[in-house]
Amino acid sequence: MKTQGSTLKKSYHHGELRQALIDAARQLINERQGNDFSLSDACRRAGVSTAAPYRHFADKTDIIAEVAAQGFVDLERRLREAADAYAPGAPERMVVLSEIYVTFGVNEPALFRLMFGQRPTLSEDDIVTAKGKACFAYVLQEVADYCTFHGVVGNAQMIAVQLWTMVHGATSLLIDGDYAKVAPQIDTRELIASCADRLLFSLPQRTTA
Amino acid sequence: MKTQGSTLKKSYHHGELRQALIDAARQLINERQGNDFSLSDACRRAGVSTAAPYRHFADKTDIIAEVAAQGFVDLERRLREAADAYAPGAPERMVVLSEIYVTFGVNEPALFRLMFGQRPTLSEDDIVTAKGKACFAYVLQEVADYCTFHGVVGNAQMIAVQLWTMVHGATSLLIDGDYAKVAPQIDTRELIASCADRLLFSLPQRTTA
DNA sequence: TGTACATCAGTGAACGCGCGTTCACTGATGTAC
DNA sequence: TGTACATCAGTGAACGCGCGTTCACTGATGTAC
């Protein structure tokens, strides 16, 4: 258990406590899988007393809000990085967006639920919503670009929401173990690909003028 | 606040306490919206002491399991009743199944999450899973019937799972307020109908022999 | 460069709270005779 | 039909627990002179 670099010395001031608490909370939320995580646990993990958080946060929900907001920032960054590996307009950009979304949910299921699911009433809910909107705006942009590039007729927002619905449903049913209970043999990747195909790639094309 | 029929007399024995506690728990789960409901609250609502449940249930998770299981039974019953209003093979049977699913989620969002979402570790999880499987089996049967009737080529189970994914995603995003945050103007009914159309009704038809 | 001092991020003990569960009990019900 | 009694669904007080939050405090840091 080292602090900063190579020294083992435990200093009175933590230095990065705010972010350390957010990280600890994020880990615990994912480990406890929806059972409420406790602030005391996060303090234990960060190695500080249970009173320390109140130097950095108004209350517990303030930390939760920060975790959710950073979740959206992370998700958007990963989506951008993945999409940018392909040329503008490439169909692979659409495919990879779905894949990253699902992977994000599978890797941090409880964080995913916190971001998209029913949240407790949060003191800083506005920042969460703002980051969520930014993330969606990016996806919408990508879908709109795709439609323009391929001369797809139709409302890009409607198409984006439809794809989102499908992929979100798949992620939810996957991380909640519902597919496993009811249709264990299905191949989730294939399922999503097949749906996305019909929702996006077989849209009527504008006849080339 | 009456008991049984018209008498106001409060008798020592409740008579229907088991079901009354399940009902109270179900109400509270939906009211508290994912914040954990407390067994004590359920007792208050049923008008008994906090020790009374232990005559009927092993522990708190036992009650939760019963709520979830009854949720699946209810959902299946509603699905059947709605579908049976239409002739076998009618496309309306497919449409109405989606509508009932969404309505169920909207009416009792926290129950919906309990049934399909990450559940706490339940002492009686098997009965929940069993009822869930029965419910899915019914839907699968309906989809298979539809496919047979219309000569749709394809794996009925795969088609059923795709529809489920879509409808489940829509219900989740709806009850979690995500559509409202990010694309408030969309018409959920239209969105689902449009997707379902492409997922089901435009499947390749077997050429009539 | 050295010292005084304001700042503020931490401590650790304590608080009140509501929870799930237990215990010995009480009283209503139904059955045997 | 009336009575004795076993059964068991309830009571209500108590428990130990971990929680979020507060409080007066301590000690490290950085700045003014």
Side-chain angles (χ1 to χ4, degrees):
Chain A
M1 199 63 70
K2 336 174 146 189
T3 28
Q4 310 268 77
S6 59
T7 114
L8 285 167
K9 140 170 181 296
K10 158 119 169 121
S11 76
Y12 193 87
H13 287 94
H14 185 286
E16 295 285 356
L17 184 55
R18 188 183 152 87
Q19 189 60 42
L21 284 168
I22 293 168
D23 293 343
R26 182 166 171 167
Q27 280 175 34
L28 283 163
I29 285 167
N30 281 311
E31 284 169 25
R32 308 270 294 258
Q33 283 288 84
N35 298 11
D36 286 290
F37 91 102
S38 87
L39 191 48
S40 316
D41 266 347
C43 292
R44 254 162 249 140
R45 190 157 295 196
V48 292
S49 73
T50 59
Y54 295 88
R55 291 288 156 203
H56 301 277
F57 302 94
D59 55 21
K60 184 187 176 184
T61 68
D62 203 3
I63 300 187
I64 297 177
E66 201 57 53
V67 170
Q70 292 195 5
F72 277 119
V73 172
D74 273 18
L75 176 58
E76 184 181 337
R77 184 174 39 74
R78 288 180 210 188
L79 291 170
R80 283 181 185 274
E81 285 172 8
D84 286 349
Y86 299 93
E92 286 86 355
R93 287 179 85 97
M94 296 294 99
V95 175
V96 88
L97 290 182
S98 301
E99 287 173 355
I100 293 293
Y101 192 95
V102 175
T103 304
F104 185 90
V106 169
N107 286 343
E108 300 189 82
L111 173 61
F112 180 86
R113 285 187 207 102
L114 177 63
M115 289 158 60
F116 293 103
Q118 160 73 25
R119 288 196 285 272
T121 311
L122 300 180
S123 47
E124 296 287 349
D125 203 89
D126 287 353
I127 68 160
V128 185
T129 302
K131 300 296 184 189
K133 279 181 169 170
C135 189
F136 179 76
Y138 165 66
V139 173
L140 180 53
Q141 164 84 51
E142 281 288 337
V143 174
D145 286 356
Y146 176 89
C147 289
T148 307
F149 199 93
H150 288 85
V152 172
V153 179
N155 178 344
Q157 161 138 331
M158 189 65 167
I159 296 169
V161 171
Q162 289 180 350
L163 281 172
W164 180 31
T165 302
M166 170 69 211
V167 173
H168 185 86
T171 307
S172 300
L173 291 171
L174 192 56
I175 67 181
D176 292 339
D178 295 309
Y179 286 146
K181 271 172 213 140
V182 130
Q185 73 288 5
I186 66 141
D187 177 335
T188 320
R189 270 179 93 91
E190 189 196 323
L191 177 130
I192 295 172
S194 159
C195 288
D197 251 21
R198 270 174 292 158
L199 291 179
L200 182 59
F201 298 119
S202 65
L203 281 170
Q205 312 278 306
R206 196 193 304 136
T207 43
T208 345
Chain B
M1 205 49 83
K2 334 172 148 190
T3 27
Q4 311 268 76
S6 59
T7 116
L8 285 165
K9 142 170 179 295
K10 156 120 168 119
S11 76
Y12 191 87
H13 288 93
H14 186 287
E16 296 285 356
L17 184 54
R18 189 184 152 86
Q19 189 60 43
L21 284 168
I22 294 168
D23 294 343
R26 181 167 174 166
Q27 280 176 33
L28 283 164
I29 285 168
N30 282 311
E31 284 170 25
R32 306 271 295 259
Q33 284 287 84
N35 300 10
D36 285 291
F37 91 103
S38 87
L39 190 49
S40 315
D41 266 347
C43 292
R44 254 161 250 140
R45 190 156 294 197
V48 292
S49 73
T50 60
Y54 295 88
R55 293 286 156 205
H56 301 277
F57 302 94
D59 55 20
K60 184 187 176 184
T61 68
D62 203 3
I63 299 187
I64 298 177
E66 201 57 52
V67 171
Q70 291 195 7
F72 277 118
V73 172
D74 273 19
L75 176 57
E76 184 181 337
R77 184 175 39 74
R78 288 180 210 187
L79 290 170
R80 284 179 184 275
E81 285 173 8
D84 286 348
Y86 299 93
E92 286 85 355
R93 287 179 85 98
M94 297 293 100
V95 175
V96 88
L97 290 182
S98 301
E99 287 173 354
I100 293 292
Y101 193 95
V102 175
T103 304
F104 185 89
V106 169
N107 285 344
E108 300 190 83
L111 173 61
F112 180 87
R113 284 185 208 104
L114 176 63
M115 289 159 59
F116 292 103
Q118 161 73 23
R119 289 195 285 270
T121 311
L122 300 180
S123 48
E124 296 287 350
D125 203 87
D126 286 354
I127 68 161
V128 185
T129 302
K131 299 297 183 189
K133 280 181 169 170
C135 189
F136 179 77
Y138 165 66
V139 174
L140 179 54
Q141 164 85 52
E142 282 288 338
V143 174
D145 285 357
Y146 176 88
C147 290
T148 307
F149 200 93
H150 289 86
V152 172
V153 178
N155 178 344
Q157 161 138 332
M158 189 64 166
I159 296 169
V161 172
Q162 288 180 351
L163 282 171
W164 180 29
T165 302
M166 169 69 211
V167 173
H168 185 85
T171 308
S172 300
L173 291 171
L174 192 57
I175 67 181
D176 292 338
D178 295 310
Y179 286 145
K181 272 172 212 139
V182 130
Q185 74 288 5
I186 67 142
D187 178 334
T188 319
R189 271 180 91 92
E190 188 196 325
L191 177 129
I192 295 171
S194 159
C195 288
D197 251 21
R198 271 173 292 154
L199 291 179
L200 182 61
F201 298 120
S202 65
L203 281 172
Q205 312 279 306
R206 195 195 305 138
T207 45
T208 344

